[in-house]
Amino acid sequence: MNETFSIKEKWRQFLVVLLPILISQLALFSMTFFDTIMSGHASPIDLAGVAIGASLWAPVQAGLTGILMAVTPLVAQMVGANRRERVPFTVVQAFYVAIAIAIGVMIVGALVLNPILQMMDLEPTVSEIARDFLHAIAIGIIPLFLYTVIRCFIDALGETRVTMIITLFSLPINVFLNYALIFGNLGFPRLGGVGAGYASAITYWCILLISLFVVNRVHPFVEYGLFTKFYRISLSAWKELLKLGLPIGFSIFFEVSIFAAVTLFMSEYNTNTIAAHQAALNFASFIYMVPLSISMALTILVGFEVGANRFRDARQYSYLGIGVALILALLFGVGLLIFTEQVAGFYTTDAEVLRLTQQFLMYSILFLISDAVAAPIQGVLRGYKDVTVTFIVALVSYWVIGLPLGYALAQFTSLAAFGYWIGLITGLAAGAVFLFSRLLGLQKRMIKGQDSQ
């Protein structure tokens, strides 16, 4: 990573790190997108089963992989501080943590999955597809978590183009497997929506094998010799990783799980409303990949600058990222206003679902703007290794403000299902304000402390 100070060079470095991350995130999300779309073409029941299964898996996956994202600021600060010899030890310990987490989630999942599905009072066929989808995707949990560690290591070195290439390789594999397993093409059995789970699991194994080859054969990664030396499990290293990773994981879990909770509350409405909610949420999640990618880029860049004790440079990167995210959110919002009907048409041809989806999409514009502030700030704070406040803000803004307000609006006003969205938007906006004030105070304190030395 270049040690530069001019605004022009910062712009260049920001884009060099950001663009591959953005392409990677869009490609990763496209797997879920294609799972949903292709399952919908198999049958409405398959779509419903995959949607329920995915809504249960998404917050768990996001929260647990969020714990492993601590590798990025840890390695970025080590590289910035010229302590590269610590990197292999840290990455290997993260590997051990990833395996432990994966085994834990599979054991817990085996115990609680059936009771959760029974509580949801679904049609028997939908419940069966959701359960089998999750059983299938469980085959890929260990490689997914291990790949997350490798990806965080690669990204922390600023080599985000490498993870982009790996992800782009995996996307056609996933689509091909969906084509073969969902619809029973090319001599494969027709598994319907469950085939999407197997396709994702096999793809995760492919991604892991490719990434292991890269870090063992390609420069500059091979210079770190990640797996050339055996390291015993170090509980102190686990503690350092989890001290940083758990708040990150929980803040992401609180954010993602709130949408799963709303989906469960939506079960009181008719099928058309649920379908429209899912469609609009899927598209909003797709657009969210932009501020999320900016957030991940800022963690790397800010972490590097903080490790090198260049706090003013870290602050400049912060505002650069937040500004870009806001401008893009406004552009997306205008585009969505103009092309609402066309976007809704991607998901359905049913007239009633189309109408409701368009209404939900209008609310999603407000999501875009709040996310454009909140997500980049979270990334910046992770770069500073300041994560506990983010976790508290996520808990309060979504579960104390957003969900109760949404429930009240849905139950006691004429807004009905739209009330949940207004509640979530309000919570997200409140969280963005809290996080911005935290960032301002932290940066001021860091720079003041440096000036007084």
Side-chain angles (χ1 to χ4, degrees), residues 380-414:
V380 172
L381 291 174
R382 286 170 198 151
Y384 282 101
K385 294 207 273 192
D386 182 67
V387 293
T388 306
V389 170
T390 306
F391 149 66
I392 295 168
V393 168
L395 174 63
V396 172
S397 61
Y398 282 111
W399 290 92
V400 178
I401 299 174
L403 188 60
L405 176 60
Y407 182 82
L409 291 173
Q411 297 298 321
F412 306 116
T413 73
S414 59

Coordinates of all heavy atoms in Angstrom, one line a residue, residues 380-414:
V380 N -14.9 2.7 9.2 CA -13.8 3.6 9.7 C -13.5 3.2 11.2 O -12.4 3.1 11.6 CB -14.3 5.0 9.6 CG1 -13.3 5.9 10.4 CG2 -14.4 5.5 8.2
L381 N -14.6 3.0 12.0 CA -14.4 2.7 13.4 C -13.7 1.4 13.6 O -12.9 1.2 14.5 CB -15.7 2.7 14.1 CG -16.4 4.1 14.3 CD1 -17.8 3.9 14.9 CD2 -15.5 5.0 15.2
R382 N -14.0 0.4 12.7 CA -13.2 -0.9 12.7 C -11.7 -0.7 12.4 O -10.9 -1.4 13.0 CB -13.8 -1.9 11.8 CG -15.2 -2.4 12.2 CD -15.9 -3.2 11.1 NE -17.3 -3.4 11.4 CZ -18.2 -3.5 10.5 NH1 -17.9 -3.5 9.2 NH2 -19.5 -3.7 10.9
G383 N -11.5 0.3 11.5 CA -10.1 0.6 11.2 C -9.3 1.1 12.4 O -8.1 0.9 12.6
Y384 N -10.0 1.8 13.3 CA -9.5 2.3 14.5 C -9.5 1.2 15.6 O -9.0 1.5 16.8 CB -10.3 3.5 15.0 CG -10.0 4.8 14.3 CD1 -10.8 5.3 13.4 CD2 -8.8 5.6 14.7 CE1 -10.6 6.5 12.7 CE2 -8.6 6.8 14.0 CZ -9.5 7.2 13.1 OH -9.2 8.5 12.4
K385 N -10.1 0.1 15.3 CA -10.3 -1.0 16.3 C -11.3 -0.5 17.4 O -11.2 -1.0 18.6 CB -9.0 -1.6 16.9 CG -8.2 -2.3 15.9 CD -7.3 -3.4 16.5 CE -6.0 -2.8 16.9 NZ -5.0 -3.8 17.2
D386 N -12.2 0.4 17.1 CA -13.1 0.9 18.0 C -14.5 0.3 17.6 O -15.2 0.8 16.8 CB -13.2 2.5 17.9 CG -14.2 3.1 18.9 OD1 -13.9 3.0 20.1 OD2 -15.2 3.6 18.5
V387 N -14.8 -0.8 18.2 CA -16.0 -1.6 17.8 C -17.1 -1.8 18.8 O -18.2 -2.1 18.4 CB -15.5 -3.0 17.3 CG1 -14.6 -2.9 16.0 CG2 -14.8 -3.7 18.4
T388 N -16.8 -1.5 20.1 CA -17.8 -1.8 21.1 C -19.0 -0.9 21.0 O -20.2 -1.3 21.1 CB -17.2 -1.7 22.5 OG1 -16.1 -2.5 22.6 CG2 -18.2 -2.1 23.6
V389 N -18.8 0.4 20.7 CA -19.9 1.4 20.5 C -20.7 1.0 19.3 O -22.0 1.2 19.4 CB -19.3 2.8 20.4 CG1 -20.4 3.8 20.0 CG2 -18.7 3.3 21.7
T390 N -20.1 0.6 18.3 CA -20.9 0.2 17.1 C -21.9 -0.9 17.4 O -23.0 -0.9 17.0 CB -19.9 -0.3 16.0 OG1 -19.0 0.7 15.7 CG2 -20.7 -0.6 14.7
F391 N -21.4 -1.9 18.2 CA -22.3 -3.0 18.6 C -23.4 -2.5 19.5 O -24.6 -2.9 19.2 CB -21.4 -4.0 19.4 CG -22.1 -4.7 20.5 CD1 -23.0 -5.7 20.2 CD2 -21.7 -4.6 21.8 CE1 -23.7 -6.4 21.2 CE2 -22.3 -5.3 22.8 CZ -23.3 -6.2 22.5
I392 N -23.2 -1.6 20.4 CA -24.3 -1.0 21.2 C -25.3 -0.2 20.4 O -26.5 -0.4 20.6 CB -23.7 -0.2 22.4 CG1 -22.8 -1.0 23.3 CG2 -24.8 0.5 23.1 CD1 -22.0 -0.2 24.3
V393 N -24.7 0.6 19.5 CA -25.6 1.4 18.6 C -26.5 0.5 17.7 O -27.7 0.8 17.5 CB -24.8 2.3 17.7 CG1 -25.6 3.0 16.6 CG2 -24.2 3.5 18.6
A394 N -25.9 -0.6 17.2 CA -26.7 -1.5 16.4 C -27.8 -2.1 17.2 O -29.0 -2.2 16.7 CB -25.8 -2.6 15.8
L395 N -27.5 -2.5 18.4 CA -28.6 -3.1 19.3 C -29.7 -2.1 19.6 O -30.9 -2.5 19.4 CB -27.9 -3.6 20.6 CG -28.9 -4.1 21.7 CD1 -29.6 -5.4 21.2 CD2 -28.1 -4.4 22.9
V396 N -29.3 -0.9 19.9 CA -30.3 0.1 20.3 C -31.1 0.5 19.1 O -32.3 0.6 19.2 CB -29.6 1.3 21.0 CG1 -30.6 2.4 21.3 CG2 -29.0 0.8 22.4
S397 N -30.4 0.9 18.0 CA -31.1 1.5 16.9 C -32.1 0.5 16.2 O -33.2 1.0 15.8 CB -30.1 2.0 15.9 OG -29.3 1.0 15.4
Y398 N -31.7 -0.7 16.1 CA -32.6 -1.7 15.5 C -33.6 -2.3 16.4 O -34.8 -2.4 16.1 CB -31.8 -2.8 14.8 CG -31.2 -2.4 13.5 CD1 -29.8 -2.2 13.4 CD2 -31.9 -2.1 12.4 CE1 -29.2 -1.8 12.2 CE2 -31.4 -1.7 11.2 CZ -30.0 -1.5 11.1 OH -29.4 -1.1 10.0
W399 N -33.2 -2.8 17.6 CA -34.0 -3.6 18.4 C -34.8 -2.8 19.5 O -35.8 -3.3 20.0 CB -33.2 -4.8 19.1 CG -32.8 -5.8 18.0 CD1 -31.6 -5.8 17.3 CD2 -33.5 -6.9 17.6 NE1 -31.6 -6.8 16.4 CE2 -32.8 -7.5 16.6 CE3 -34.8 -7.4 17.9 CZ2 -33.2 -8.7 15.9 CZ3 -35.2 -8.6 17.3 CH2 -34.4 -9.2 16.3
V400 N -34.2 -1.7 19.9 CA -34.9 -0.8 20.9 C -35.7 0.2 20.2 O -36.8 0.6 20.7 CB -33.8 -0.2 21.9 CG1 -34.5 0.7 22.9 CG2 -33.1 -1.3 22.6
I401 N -35.2 0.8 19.1 CA -36.0 1.9 18.4 C -36.7 1.3 17.2 O -38.0 1.4 17.1 CB -35.0 3.0 18.0 CG1 -34.3 3.6 19.1 CG2 -35.8 4.1 17.2 CD1 -33.2 4.7 18.8
G402 N -36.0 0.7 16.3 CA -36.6 0.3 15.0 C -37.7 -0.7 15.1 O -38.9 -0.4 14.6
L403 N -37.5 -1.9 15.7 CA -38.5 -2.9 15.6 C -39.8 -2.6 16.5 O -40.9 -2.7 16.0 CB -37.9 -4.2 16.1 CG -38.8 -5.5 16.0 CD1 -39.2 -5.7 14.5 CD2 -38.1 -6.7 16.5
P404 N -39.6 -2.1 17.7 CA -40.8 -1.7 18.5 C -41.7 -0.6 17.8 O -42.9 -0.7 17.7 CB -40.3 -1.2 19.8 CG -39.0 -1.8 19.9 CD -38.4 -1.9 18.6
L405 N -41.0 0.4 17.2 CA -41.7 1.4 16.5 C -42.4 0.9 15.2 O -43.6 1.2 15.0 CB -40.7 2.6 16.0 CG -41.3 3.7 15.2 CD1 -42.4 4.4 15.9 CD2 -40.2 4.7 14.7
G406 N -41.7 0.0 14.5 CA -42.3 -0.6 13.3 C -43.5 -1.5 13.7 O -44.5 -1.4 13.0
Y407 N -43.4 -2.2 14.8 CA -44.5 -3.1 15.2 C -45.7 -2.2 15.6 O -46.9 -2.5 15.2 CB -44.1 -3.9 16.4 CG -45.1 -4.8 16.9 CD1 -45.3 -6.1 16.3 CD2 -46.0 -4.5 18.0 CE1 -46.3 -7.0 16.7 CE2 -47.0 -5.4 18.4 CZ -47.1 -6.6 17.8 OH -48.1 -7.4 18.2
A408 N -45.5 -1.1 16.3 CA -46.6 -0.2 16.7 C -47.2 0.4 15.5 O -48.5 0.4 15.4 CB -46.0 0.9 17.6
L409 N -46.4 0.9 14.5 CA -47.0 1.5 13.3 C -47.8 0.4 12.5 O -48.8 0.7 11.9 CB -45.9 2.1 12.4 CG -45.2 3.3 13.0 CD1 -44.0 3.7 12.1 CD2 -46.2 4.5 13.1
A410 N -47.3 -0.8 12.4 CA -47.9 -1.9 11.6 C -49.3 -2.3 12.3 O -50.2 -2.6 11.6 CB -47.0 -3.1 11.5
Q411 N -49.3 -2.4 13.6 CA -50.4 -2.9 14.3 C -51.5 -1.9 14.6 O -52.7 -2.2 14.6 CB -50.0 -3.5 15.7 CG -49.1 -4.7 15.5 CD -49.7 -5.9 14.7 OE1 -50.9 -6.2 14.9 NE2 -48.9 -6.5 13.9
F412 N -51.1 -0.6 14.8 CA -52.0 0.4 15.3 C -52.3 1.6 14.4 O -52.9 2.5 14.8 CB -51.6 0.9 16.7 CG -51.3 -0.2 17.7 CD1 -50.0 -0.4 18.2 CD2 -52.4 -1.0 18.1 CE1 -49.8 -1.5 19.1 CE2 -52.1 -2.0 19.0 CZ -50.9 -2.3 19.5
T413 N -51.7 1.5 13.2 CA -52.0 2.5 12.2 C -52.4 1.9 10.9 O -52.3 0.6 10.7 CB -50.8 3.4 11.9 OG1 -49.8 2.7 11.1 CG2 -50.2 3.9 13.2
S414 N -52.8 2.7 9.9 CA -53.2 2.2 8.6 C -52.0 1.8 7.7 O -52.2 1.3 6.6 CB -54.1 3.2 7.9 OG -53.4 4.4 7.7

